[in-house]
PDB file of all heavy atoms in Angstrom:
ATOM      1  N   ALA L1277       8.604  12.896  13.681  1.00 98.00           N
ATOM      2  CA  ALA L1277       7.779  13.938  12.841  1.00 98.00           C
ATOM      3  C   ALA L1277       8.793  14.687  11.898  1.00 98.00           C
ATOM      4  O   ALA L1277       8.478  14.861  10.687  1.00 98.00           O
ATOM      5  CB  ALA L1277       7.080  14.930  13.752  1.00 98.00           C
ATOM      6  N   ARG L1310      19.547  24.045  12.393  1.00 97.00           N
ATOM      7  CA  ARG L1310      20.833  23.518  12.482  1.00 97.00           C
ATOM      8  C   ARG L1310      21.259  22.785  11.220  1.00 97.00           C
ATOM      9  O   ARG L1310      22.389  22.978  10.643  1.00 97.00           O
ATOM     10  CB  ARG L1310      20.974  22.501  13.645  1.00 97.00           C
ATOM     11  CG  ARG L1310      22.331  22.371  14.178  1.00 97.00           C
ATOM     12  CD  ARG L1310      22.408  21.485  15.385  1.00 97.00           C
ATOM     13  NE  ARG L1310      21.769  22.086  16.572  1.00 97.00           N
ATOM     14  CZ  ARG L1310      21.333  21.394  17.628  1.00 97.00           C
ATOM     15  NH1 ARG L1310      21.374  19.987  17.606  1.00 97.00           N
ATOM     16  NH2 ARG L1310      20.906  21.939  18.727  1.00 97.00           N
ATOM     17  N   ALA L1324       8.861  23.884   3.761  1.00 98.00           N
ATOM     18  CA  ALA L1324       7.799  22.986   3.205  1.00 98.00           C
ATOM     19  C   ALA L1324       7.549  21.819   4.219  1.00 98.00           C
ATOM     20  O   ALA L1324       6.385  21.437   4.422  1.00 98.00           O
ATOM     21  CB  ALA L1324       8.282  22.313   1.832  1.00 98.00           C
ATOM     22  N   GLY L1339      -7.012   8.978  12.864  1.00 95.00           N
ATOM     23  CA  GLY L1339      -7.691   7.822  12.356  1.00 95.00           C
ATOM     24  C   GLY L1339      -7.667   7.750  10.811  1.00 95.00           C
ATOM     25  O   GLY L1339      -7.593   6.551  10.260  1.00 95.00           O
ATOM     26  N   ILE L1345       2.497   5.744  14.128  1.00 98.00           N
ATOM     27  CA  ILE L1345       3.569   5.266  14.969  1.00 98.00           C
ATOM     28  C   ILE L1345       3.363   5.841  16.366  1.00 98.00           C
ATOM     29  O   ILE L1345       3.253   6.960  16.606  1.00 98.00           O
ATOM     30  CB  ILE L1345       4.981   5.916  14.398  1.00 98.00           C
ATOM     31  CG1 ILE L1345       5.145   5.487  12.908  1.00 98.00           C
ATOM     32  CG2 ILE L1345       6.049   5.511  15.279  1.00 98.00           C
ATOM     33  CD1 ILE L1345       6.336   6.179  12.356  1.00 98.00           C
ATOM     34  N   SER L1380       6.685  -6.300  24.133  1.00 95.00           N
ATOM     35  CA  SER L1380       6.323  -7.278  23.173  1.00 95.00           C
ATOM     36  C   SER L1380       5.400  -6.858  22.146  1.00 95.00           C
ATOM     37  O   SER L1380       4.266  -6.299  22.387  1.00 95.00           O
ATOM     38  CB  SER L1380       5.698  -8.566  23.931  1.00 95.00           C
ATOM     39  OG  SER L1380       5.072  -9.295  22.946  1.00 95.00           O
ATOM     40  N   PRO L1404      16.809  12.397  13.770  1.00 97.00           N
ATOM     41  CA  PRO L1404      17.360  13.007  12.566  1.00 97.00           C
ATOM     42  C   PRO L1404      18.786  12.581  12.278  1.00 97.00           C
ATOM     43  O   PRO L1404      19.254  12.666  11.131  1.00 97.00           O
ATOM     44  CB  PRO L1404      17.143  14.520  12.809  1.00 97.00           C
ATOM     45  CG  PRO L1404      16.179  14.708  13.883  1.00 97.00           C
ATOM     46  CD  PRO L1404      16.327  13.458  14.748  1.00 97.00           C
ATOM     47  N   ILE L1415       4.350 -11.962  15.903  1.00 96.00           N
ATOM     48  CA  ILE L1415       4.181 -13.350  15.306  1.00 96.00           C
ATOM     49  C   ILE L1415       3.089 -13.283  14.239  1.00 96.00           C
ATOM     50  O   ILE L1415       3.189 -14.142  13.225  1.00 96.00           O
ATOM     51  CB  ILE L1415       3.735 -14.297  16.516  1.00 96.00           C
ATOM     52  CG1 ILE L1415       4.174 -15.690  16.194  1.00 96.00           C
ATOM     53  CG2 ILE L1415       2.274 -14.190  16.833  1.00 96.00           C
ATOM     54  CD1 ILE L1415       4.219 -16.618  17.366  1.00 96.00           C
ATOM     55  N   THR L1421       2.710  -5.744   5.217  1.00 98.00           N
ATOM     56  CA  THR L1421       2.840  -4.719   6.288  1.00 98.00           C
ATOM     57  C   THR L1421       4.358  -4.433   6.501  1.00 98.00           C
ATOM     58  O   THR L1421       4.914  -3.392   6.463  1.00 98.00           O
ATOM     59  CB  THR L1421       2.213  -5.128   7.575  1.00 98.00           C
ATOM     60  OG1 THR L1421       0.850  -5.328   7.308  1.00 98.00           O
ATOM     61  CG2 THR L1421       2.486  -4.128   8.664  1.00 98.00           C
ATOM     62  N   GLY L1530      17.428  12.439  33.774  1.00 98.00           N
ATOM     63  CA  GLY L1530      18.407  12.679  32.818  1.00 98.00           C
ATOM     64  C   GLY L1530      18.184  14.028  32.114  1.00 98.00           C
ATOM     65  O   GLY L1530      17.705  14.955  32.740  1.00 98.00           O
ATOM     66  N   TYR L1538      24.318  13.404  35.580  1.00 98.00           N
ATOM     67  CA  TYR L1538      24.851  14.837  35.494  1.00 98.00           C
ATOM     68  C   TYR L1538      23.781  15.749  35.731  1.00 98.00           C
ATOM     69  O   TYR L1538      22.575  15.550  35.582  1.00 98.00           O
ATOM     70  CB  TYR L1538      25.450  15.083  34.034  1.00 98.00           C
ATOM     71  CG  TYR L1538      26.630  14.164  33.723  1.00 98.00           C
ATOM     72  CD1 TYR L1538      26.437  12.915  33.135  1.00 98.00           C
ATOM     73  CD2 TYR L1538      27.912  14.713  33.878  1.00 98.00           C
ATOM     74  CE1 TYR L1538      27.495  12.183  32.771  1.00 98.00           C
ATOM     75  CE2 TYR L1538      29.041  13.874  33.445  1.00 98.00           C
ATOM     76  CZ  TYR L1538      28.850  12.652  33.025  1.00 98.00           C
ATOM     77  OH  TYR L1538      29.932  11.849  32.650  1.00 98.00           O
TER      78      TYR L1538
END
Side-chain angles (χ1 to χ4, degrees):
R1310 206 176 287 157
I1345 302 174
S1380 165
I1415 207 162
T1421 300
Y1538 293 85

